[in-house]
């Protein structure tokens, strides 16, 4: 992998159809659903101005302030990884489609969605992987005049049966110089038959009980584990994960610990499926 002093790294191929989704179920998070492309941007003499944002969603379909927040969030995330002020990649971020809900969406939510999209695009670039999907078929647009791009999941994929696994409890507590502390309890349940969602994460904990970045890290660990067992960026099964209890430590907790907690929780839920499968395994 190129060294940081080689920033920005020239990307050979675009990353298309990066989906990001925030569920407002549980009343803690704002709702946001977006699809974006991350395309190579030709680099000129000025190596510090290598990020651009283009919004292709009409204003009557998505309020411009939400689109701008998405772009700002994605660019802020990429700039956070900068070396001497130079971002790691030269990219044009193109917002192709988005959905929002009255009273449930916010600029902060779309900014958060933009940061998530940038992290997923970086994962795809570094691992030469496909983006992980959240939605199989998107909700209808708000306006009849808007024709969404063809970003639905193309695979003829049917979720296998998934039996609910309640109160999956994970505890990571290691006393060391760096410290590791993450405790979480979550339910894994099948999404309703006919749902267009492939994966939904529901956080029922306010920031006062669990900081937003730790809930995000837990979700990341769960999602990547479910998709690792599945194929082509699709999860093993259409699953809703409800995080309903957690504990953290102001010194020993970090995002890495909660990501690992999410991985272990997903692995435990899949193990529970395998144990109750009469055929002795779980289709992935």
């Amino acid at each position: 992998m190129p060294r940081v002093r080689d920033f920005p790294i020239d990307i050979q191929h675009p990353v298309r159809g990066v989906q990001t989704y925030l569920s407002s179920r549980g009343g803690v998070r704002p709702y946001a659903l977006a699809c974006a492309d991350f395309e190579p941007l030709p680099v000129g003499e000025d190596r510090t101005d290598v990020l651009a944002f283009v919004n292709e969603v009409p204003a009557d379909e998505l309020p411009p302030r939400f689109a701008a927040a998405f772009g700002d969030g994605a660019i802020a995330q990429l700039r956070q990884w900068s070396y001497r002020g130079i971002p790691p990649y030269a990219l044009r971020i193109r917002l192709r489609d988005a959905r929002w809900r009255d009273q449930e969406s916010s600029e902060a939510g779309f900014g958060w969605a933009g940061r998530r999209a940038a992290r997923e695009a970086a994962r795809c670039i570094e691992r030469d992987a496909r983006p992980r999907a959240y939605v199989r078929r998107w909700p209808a647009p708000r306006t009849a005049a808007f024709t969404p791009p063809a970003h639905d999941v193309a695979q003829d994929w049917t979720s296998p049966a998934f039996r609910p696994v309640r109160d999956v409890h994970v505890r990571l507590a290691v006393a060391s110089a760096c410290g590791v502390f993450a405790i979480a309890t979550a339910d894994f349940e099948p999404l309703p038959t006919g749902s267009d969602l492939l994966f939904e994460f529901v956080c029922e904990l306010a920031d006062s009980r669990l900081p937003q970045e730790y809930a995000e890290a837990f979700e990341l660990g769960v999602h990547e584990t479910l998709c690792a067992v599945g194929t082509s960026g699709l999860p093993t099964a259409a699953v809703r994960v409800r995080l309903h209890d957690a504990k953290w430590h102001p010194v020993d907790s970090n995002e890495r610990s909660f990501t690992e907690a999410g991985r272990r929780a997903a692995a435990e839920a899949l193990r529970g499926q395998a144990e109750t499968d009469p055929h002795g395994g779980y289709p992935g």
Side-chain angles (χ1 to χ4, degrees), residues 67-79 93 110-116 118:
F70 181 92
D72 290 345
I75 289 177
Q77 180 64 66
L78 291 166
R79 291 200 183 282
I93 305 156
F110 272 89
W112 185 359
R115 291 190 291 273
R116 290 175 58 135

Side-chain angles (χ1 to χ4, degrees), residues 13-21 34-39 96 116-136 138 150-155 198-199 220 223-224 226-228 230-235:
H13 305 289
V15 181
R16 304 284 188 194
V18 177
Q19 296 183 4
T20 183
Y21 171 58
C35 181
D37 293 342
F38 289 73
E39 307 168 337
R96 301 171 63 212
R116 290 175 58 135
R119 290 196 292 269
E120 178 66 5
R123 184 192 71 87
C124 294
I125 291 169
E126 293 170 4
R127 303 183 186 181
D128 193 23
R130 296 180 60 176
R132 291 174 291 215
Y134 285 88
V135 181
R136 179 172 174 79
W138 280 51
H151 49 47
D152 289 347
V153 176
Q155 294 90 340
L198 296 167
F199 174 78
L220 174 64
H223 195 203
E224 71 177 18
L226 293 177
C227 289
T231 59
S232 302
L234 299 174

